[in-house]
């Protein structure tokens, strides 16, 4: 238990030091995006990794959050904080809508319905021009208001400062997921993933548990969407496609499904990998594809699965020693 | 007092009548077996009792409440727990977690307790783990507690399913072929365990089993099914000498 917390704190310290150690604005910019993707990947991991419901609709909720924030602040003059809360709530509600077909569907059939969902939301963003301004998108979204921290002026138009805003939400979401997974509810979600019939026969209400997972996963994506538009300053339908959903899913799978740290490594790893390979020009996606295939070949459980395989071996040794002592 | 009543229970799958007007009465703390040749509808009855299937007609009553038509999680909360013929463990979770999920209905922590790591949560969690370990120790599985369930040998996997079912503190425990694939020693062992569990936890046991040695020794009452219909019932001795039962198992004497 304690060792686990040490790892989390070490990672948090590294994240906190990141803007201090990095001067380069471009790297910092990539860092902000990577941490927004952590929120997305963590939400999808809750749904796909822990509850076993494979979804390709995650970009939809990213989009719902992004548009909600954009419309509320630009069209209706809301402030950033109420807007991000509204984005989270609305995305969470949309998640329940996607959850209903999942109560009946499994495996490839569920995936089909989530693909349908992401196309529907994309068309809505594109064609509901009176609200979303269609393909032109919404521009002129302000950075969240800065404030003074003693002598120090926090200015969110600076990526170094914005990073801490994103990190704040990542920490909140991480604590939430950690608590959830280590509770009776989290065990219920995992039970559904492992064997839904057995889970139901032990008193787990499949309907409410699945809807809960869909809703919370979407809610995190809503937060990410809001943080994204307030950072980038505009929003357009092209950001929220099936391809984006797949990108988020790749982060989850590559990092390690059903692990707490997997989505974090996956999101950071892939965001930086894709950015740092830009010098490869037209070969970039080919090399990226090869890297993905190699990782999946050598570490089918993702990066965290690979790490756990080694630590689990050691822990079992320790366990034996403890038992012998007793 | 009766804990389970089936009244004219019937289910049809298309044109096939899998269970045909079966009625039976199980009394508290009884060890009751349902036997019959393959395809006679035994497991289907388990699925009807636990709410996985809804009967075409007839009723399931648990402690005088009609439960047919309710979802399995509701019926689980009424005190019914089961094992499965084809093992359905939570394979990628530890043995201990499997048992803890079994006690889902009885762990009363709220999410907020977990978020704030309240002492309440720690106490409840510690008690649940202690109880889970005790149940594991009865079935001699304690040494596997931290292993993945999928890594267990076959026999222990069957036993783990029983432990998981017991963790929900059921009043009625349904065991679907618990001795399948076990050797005679293991079966003997299992029989002792079933008796011990019944006495220690005051649980009623409803058993579906192919191992006639086990069934005849342990059962206090037996119902025999063939092609979805009840063809006989009674004590082991009564059933063994019933011509209809012999015919169902061995076929009719050639006339």
């Amino acid at each position: 238990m304690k060792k686990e917390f040490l790892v989390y704190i070490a990672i948090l310290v590294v994240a906190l030091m990141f803007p201090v150690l990095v001067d380069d604005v471009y790297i910092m910019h990539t860092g902000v995006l990577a941490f927004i993707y952590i929120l997305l990947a963590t939400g999808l991991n809750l749904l796909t990794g822990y509850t076993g419901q494979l979804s390709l609709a995650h970009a939809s909720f990213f989009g719902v959050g992004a548009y909600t924030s954009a419309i509320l602040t630009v069209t209706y003059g809301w402030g950033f904080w109420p807007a991000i809360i509204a984005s989270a709530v609305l995305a969470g509600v949309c998640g329940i809508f996607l959850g209903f077909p999942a109560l009946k569907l499994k495996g490839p059939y569920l995936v089909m319905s989530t693909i349908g969902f992401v196309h529907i939301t994309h068309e809505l963003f594109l064609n509901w021009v009176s609200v979303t301004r269609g393909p032109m998108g919404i521009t002129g979204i302000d950075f969240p208001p800065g404030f003074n921290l003693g002598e120090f002026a926090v200015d969110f138009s600076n990526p170094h400062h914005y990073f801490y805003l994103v990190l704040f939400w990542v920490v909140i979401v991480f604590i939430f997921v950690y608590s959830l997974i280590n509770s009776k509810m989290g065990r219920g979600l995992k039970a559904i993933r492992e064997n839904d019939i057995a889970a139901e026969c032990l008193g787990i209400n499949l309907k409410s548990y699945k809807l809960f997972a869909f809703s919370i996963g979407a809610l995190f994506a809503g937060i990410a969407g809001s943080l994204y538009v307030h950072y980038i300053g505009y929003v357009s339908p092209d950001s929220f496609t099936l391809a984006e959903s797949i990108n988020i899913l790749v982060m989850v799978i590559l990092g390690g499904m059903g692990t707490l740290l997997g989505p974090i490594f996956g999101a950071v790893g892939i965001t930086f990998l894709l950015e740092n390979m830009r010098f490869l020009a037209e070969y970039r996606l080919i090399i990226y594809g090869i890297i993905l295939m190699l990782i999946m070949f050598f570490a089918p459980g993702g990066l965290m699965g690979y790490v756990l395989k080694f630590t689990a071996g050691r822990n079992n040794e320790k366990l034996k020693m403890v038992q012998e002592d007793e | 007092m009766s804990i389970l009543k089936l009244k004219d229970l019937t289910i049809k799958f298309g044109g096939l009548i899998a269970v045909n007007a079966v009625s039976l009465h199980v009394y508290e703390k009884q060890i009751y077996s349902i036997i019959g040749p393959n395809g006679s509808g035994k497991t289907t009855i388990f699925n009807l009792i636990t709410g996985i299937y809804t009967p075409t007609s007839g009723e399931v009553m648990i402690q005088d409440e009609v439960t047919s038509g309710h979802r399995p999680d509701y019926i689980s909360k009424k005190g019914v727990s089961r094992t499965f013929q084809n093992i359905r463990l939570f394979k990628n979770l530890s043995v201990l977690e499997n048992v803890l999920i079994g006690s889902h209905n009885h762990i009363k922590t709220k999410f907020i307790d977990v978020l704030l790591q309240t002492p309440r949560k720690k106490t409840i969690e510690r008690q649940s783990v202690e109880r889970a370990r005790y149940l594991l120790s009865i079935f001699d599985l304690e040494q596997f507690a931290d292993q993945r369930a999928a890594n267990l040998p076959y026999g222990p996997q069957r036993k783990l399913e029983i432990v998981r079912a017991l963790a929900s503190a059921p009043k009625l425990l349904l065991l679907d072929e618990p001795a399948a694939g076990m050797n005679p020693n293991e079966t003997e062992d299992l029989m002792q365990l079933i008796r011990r569990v019944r006495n220690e936890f005051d649980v009623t046991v409803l058993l579906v089993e192919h191992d006639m040695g086990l069934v005849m020794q342990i059962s206090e009452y037996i119902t025999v099914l063939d092609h979805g219909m009840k063809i006989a019932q009674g004590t082991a001795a009564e059933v063994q000498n019933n011509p209809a039962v012999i015919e169902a198992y061995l076929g009719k004497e050639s006339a």
Side-chain angles (χ1 to χ4, degrees):
Chain A
M1 210 55 167
K2 268 186 181 160
K3 209 160 124 197
E4 191 188 0
F5 281 122
L6 282 182
V7 173
Y8 299 149
I9 288 167
I11 292 172
L12 179 62
V13 170
V14 171
L16 283 169
M17 293 303 289
F18 184 62
V20 179
L21 299 174
V22 172
D23 271 341
D24 189 297
V25 173
Y26 179 65
I27 295 177
M28 207 55 235
H29 167 76
T30 312
V32 170
L33 292 182
F35 270 61
I36 289 174
Y37 275 112
I38 290 179
L39 293 171
L40 290 165
T42 303
L44 185 60
N45 184 43
L46 190 63
L47 182 60
T48 300
Y50 283 112
T51 319
Q53 310 295 308
L54 187 55
S55 167
L56 283 176
H58 215 57
S60 297
F61 308 118
F62 189 28
V64 168
Y67 270 100
T68 305
S69 238
I71 293 163
L72 287 178
T73 53
V74 173
T75 314
Y76 296 98
W78 284 37
F80 166 75
W81 288 98
I84 194 170
I85 301 296
S87 298
V89 171
L90 194 62
V93 172
C94 291
I96 294 176
F97 283 119
L98 177 65
F100 275 106
L103 299 176
K104 290 277 172 201
L105 302 174
K106 272 189 191 178
Y109 310 102
L110 172 62
V111 175
M112 285 301 294
S113 88
T114 63
I115 291 175
F117 193 88
V118 77
H119 286 317
I120 292 169
T121 53
H122 183 245
E123 290 302 310
L124 273 178
F125 298 147
L126 196 61
N127 294 320
W128 195 6
V129 179
S130 61
V131 175
T132 65
R133 297 190 203 166
M136 295 180 320
I138 298 171
T139 53
I141 304 161
D142 280 334
F143 289 103
F147 53 90
N148 288 321
L149 210 65
E151 298 280 287
F152 188 77
V154 177
D155 170 15
F156 286 123
S157 66
N158 179 345
H160 282 75
H161 293 188
Y162 202 87
F163 181 83
Y164 286 111
L165 179 65
V166 181
L167 181 60
F168 166 77
W169 283 103
V170 168
V171 170
I172 287 183
V173 162
F174 185 85
I175 292 172
F176 183 91
V177 174
Y178 176 87
S179 309
L180 181 67
I181 288 314
N182 288 292
S183 73
K184 168 192 170 183
M185 257 184 123
R187 279 198 293 261
L189 296 176
K190 286 189 270 187
I192 291 173
R193 174 190 71 195
E194 294 293 318
N195 199 311
D196 51 354
I197 290 177
E200 204 178 14
C201 285
L202 291 168
I204 292 162
N205 184 329
L206 290 189
K207 188 174 167 186
S208 50
Y209 270 69
K210 280 187 184 175
L211 290 181
F212 174 80
F214 271 95
S215 175
I216 297 296
L219 189 142
F220 296 163
I223 295 171
S226 178
L227 288 169
Y228 179 75
V229 292
H230 285 281
Y231 178 66
I232 300 289
Y234 75 95
V235 60
S236 79
D238 292 341
S239 310
F240 313 109
T241 57
L242 180 60
E244 184 68 1
S245 286
I246 293 172
N247 193 27
I248 301 163
L249 185 64
V250 167
M251 290 172 180
V252 175
I253 295 175
L254 195 96
M257 285 201 286
T259 62
L260 276 167
L261 295 177
I264 295 179
F265 292 144
V268 172
I270 287 188
T271 310
F272 273 92
L273 188 67
L274 278 173
E275 286 301 327
N276 287 330
M277 291 197 310
R278 287 202 184 274
F279 71 94
L280 293 166
E282 66 267 38
Y283 296 107
R284 184 174 77 126
L285 289 178
I286 296 176
I287 307 277
Y288 173 66
I290 292 172
I291 292 174
L292 288 190
M293 290 167 85
L294 285 176
I295 292 178
M296 281 343 287
F297 187 79
F298 289 106
L303 296 174
M304 271 310 287
Y306 199 67
V307 172
L308 287 174
K309 212 165 79 183
F310 285 105
T311 50
R314 278 222 315 276
N315 286 342
N316 277 350
E317 285 301 314
K318 275 201 186 128
L319 199 79
K320 271 184 217 146
M321 281 160 58
V322 171
Q323 280 169 347
E324 276 161 13
D325 282 351
E326 281 168 353
Chain B
M1 217 187 107
S2 100
I3 186 154
L4 174 75
K5 257 186 236 170
L6 307 184
K7 269 195 202 160
D8 292 325
L9 196 66
T10 302
I11 187 169
K12 296 178 188 169
F13 298 111
L16 176 83
I17 306 175
V19 174
N20 194 350
V22 171
S23 298
L24 56 83
H25 245 82
V26 182
Y27 293 95
E28 262 178 16
K29 293 190 68 181
Q30 222 172 11
I31 297 182
Y32 193 119
S33 291
I34 301 177
I35 63 171
N38 281 327
S40 58
K42 305 178 300 280
T43 297
T44 310
I45 286 187
F46 271 20
N47 287 339
L48 285 163
I49 296 171
T50 51
I52 293 174
Y53 297 150
T54 306
T56 314
S57 63
E59 282 175 349
V60 177
M61 291 175 85
I62 293 161
Q63 288 188 321
D64 298 324
E65 184 193 335
V66 177
T67 56
S68 38
H70 283 286
R71 303 288 312 153
D73 53 289
Y74 177 85
I75 290 167
S76 153
K77 290 184 176 74
K78 290 284 149 202
V80 179
S81 202
R82 70 173 290 181
T83 66
F84 297 88
Q85 187 180 359
N86 46 343
I87 302 177
R88 287 180 178 276
L89 286 172
F90 306 125
K91 284 186 183 159
N92 293 309
L93 306 182
S94 75
V95 167
L96 188 65
E97 274 179 299
N98 269 272
V99 184
L100 287 173
I101 293 167
S103 51
H104 184 85
N105 289 335
H106 302 281
I107 297 181
K108 301 288 182 204
T109 41
K110 299 197 172 63
F111 181 63
I112 189 79
D113 292 323
V114 183
L115 198 63
L116 303 174
Q117 298 284 323
T118 56
R120 194 180 116 86
K121 183 247 174 185
K122 282 177 187 153
T123 316
I124 292 178
E125 194 77 2
R126 203 187 55 237
Q127 286 167 350
S128 322
V129 171
E130 269 170 22
R131 188 162 174 280
R133 284 190 189 277
Y134 172 64
L135 290 174
L136 285 170
S137 72
I138 293 181
F139 282 74
D140 205 16
L141 293 171
E142 213 185 358
Q143 74 273 24
F144 298 120
D146 296 304
Q147 301 235 11
R148 263 176 78 219
N151 293 347
L152 260 55
Y154 181 80
Q157 287 200 11
R158 284 231 169 265
K159 285 182 178 177
L160 176 56
E161 271 218 326
I162 301 176
V163 175
R164 185 179 67 180
L166 271 178
S168 72
K171 294 185 195 111
L172 175 63
L173 178 64
L174 312 182
L175 302 177
D176 198 346
E177 296 197 25
M182 287 188 175
N183 65 37
N185 284 336
E186 289 172 322
T187 306
E188 177 63 33
D189 202 34
L190 184 74
M191 191 155 64
Q192 303 301 336
L193 282 169
I194 293 173
R195 283 213 180 96
R196 178 174 169 192
V197 159
R198 190 266 304 263
N199 297 335
E200 190 172 335
F201 299 100
D202 287 340
V203 63
T204 312
V205 178
L206 183 59
L207 188 71
V208 161
E209 184 52 65
H210 269 300
D211 187 312
M212 283 303 139
L214 174 66
V215 168
M216 294 304 163
Q217 280 188 60
I218 203 177
S219 312
E220 287 150 4
Y221 207 77
I222 299 172
T223 283
V224 190
L225 297 181
D226 190 28
H227 297 298
M229 282 193 282
K230 186 165 83 177
I231 58 167
Q233 62 180 17
T235 61
E238 287 165 8
V239 164
Q240 269 169 317
N241 297 319
N242 187 314
V245 177
I246 297 167
E247 189 187 310
Y249 272 91
L250 301 176
K252 217 175 189 149
E253 232 172 293
S254 54

